[in-house]
């Protein structure tokens, strides 16, 4: 039974990594490609590492596999976020089917300044105080 589970994990992990590589080739823009790679590839690596830990059934190997899983879970989303933002800021074109661009009202491409959503909402709702010169 354990052999079946290990085989299932390895095959599922390999298929997810294959799906991630197809996503890189087929998806239309940087942001959707990164979504495919971070989700599918990370889950694929996690499944393969679980199979490795089960196959060797040693504390040292299981600890290393667990460390790799934690490392992937911590770094993949952060790296994708940073690369996605950098791609957006340098002018990477969005897919024509993109419905919502939440950065556009908060990003000034001339000064490369980014305002948080809270700042723009607060400025829009702010009423002039009596001490304001206007």
């Amino acid at each position: 039974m354990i052999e079946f589970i290990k085989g299932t994990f390895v095959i599922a992990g390999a298929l997810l990594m294959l799906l991630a590589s197809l996503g890189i080739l087929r998806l239309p823009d940087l942001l959707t490609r990164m979504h495919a790679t971070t989700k599918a590839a990370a889950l694929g690596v996690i499944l393969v590492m679980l199979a490795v830990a089960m196959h060797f059934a040693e504390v040292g190997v299981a600890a290393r596999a667990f460390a790799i899983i934690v490392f992937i879970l911590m770094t993949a989303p952060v790296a994708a976020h940073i690369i996605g933002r950098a791609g957006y800021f340098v002018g990477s074109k969005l897919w024509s089917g993109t419905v919502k661009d939440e950065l556009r009202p908060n990003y000034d491409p001339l000064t490369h300044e980014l305002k948080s959503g809270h700042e723009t909402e607060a400025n829009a709702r702010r009423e002039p105080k009596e001490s304001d010169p206007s």
Side-chain angles (χ1 to χ4, degrees), residues 28-81:
D29 67 346
L30 173 72
L31 300 178
T32 55
R33 287 181 191 139
M34 291 194 27
H35 181 75
T37 56
T38 52
K39 305 298 185 227
L43 183 57
V45 170
I46 288 169
L47 289 175
V48 169
M49 286 296 111
L50 287 174
V52 165
M54 290 171 64
H55 177 74
F56 289 103
E58 294 177 10
V59 175
V61 174
R64 287 183 186 112
F66 180 71
I68 290 170
I69 290 170
V70 169
F71 181 77
I72 294 290
L73 287 175
M74 288 175 41
T75 59
V78 174
H81 176 79

Side-chain angles (χ1 to χ4, degrees), residues 60-125:
V61 174
R64 287 183 186 112
F66 180 71
I68 290 170
I69 290 170
V70 169
F71 181 77
I72 294 290
L73 287 175
M74 288 175 41
T75 59
V78 174
H81 176 79
I82 290 171
I83 293 170
R85 267 180 86 144
Y88 185 88
F89 292 157
V90 298
S92 176
K93 298 293 181 199
L94 296 177
W95 176 45
S96 60
T98 300
V99 177
K100 190 172 188 177
D101 183 2
E102 293 183 359
L103 278 180
R104 182 176 293 152
N106 300 321
Y107 177 63
D108 184 5
L110 298 175
T111 63
H112 298 291
E113 290 182 3
L114 181 64
K115 295 180 235 154
S116 70
H118 300 293
E119 290 175 11
T120 54
E121 290 175 15
N123 289 339
R125 290 189 304 233

